Amino acid sequence: MSPKLREYPYWSVDVPGLDEIRAEELRKRCLQLGLDAELVDPSEFVTLHLPEPLVGALVAHFASQELAKGSPVANLAESLEEDLEAMRGLSSKTNQARA
């Protein structure tokens, strides 16, 4: 298991209409609370909010393709696979806790 997956649960907060100045203010407040916060610039990154079934379908589709190693699509496929593994791990832990 990669170190990234051990850090789950990984929650994020989506704040619609947040501009760069207020995002930086929010980040500073998080740091004051002892929370690490990373700003994601929407001009450089896309934040995906995908449900588990869709991620599973994408992972299955990419697994059936021959993807060029290191290509953007292969990197996305790897990232989605890691996320799916973490999502399923969290789901099973949540279900065990409820039982």
Side-chain angles (χ1 to χ4, degrees), residues 11-25:
W11 289 78
S12 65
V13 177
D14 186 13
V15 183
L18 191 64
D19 61 20
E20 184 177 1
I21 292 169
R22 297 203 52 212
E24 184 57 43
E25 289 173 4

Side-chain angles (χ1 to χ4, degrees), residues 48-91:
L48 303 174
H49 300 271
L50 303 175
E52 182 185 349
L54 178 56
V55 174
L58 289 169
V59 167
H61 173 74
F62 288 141
S64 71
Q65 307 298 308
E66 289 209 23
L67 304 175
K69 187 173 176 109
S71 70
V73 174
N75 292 340
L76 174 62
E78 183 179 340
S79 179
L80 289 174
E81 190 172 356
E82 289 175 358
D83 288 344
L84 183 63
E85 182 180 322
M87 291 167 92
R88 290 183 173 162
L90 285 177
S91 294

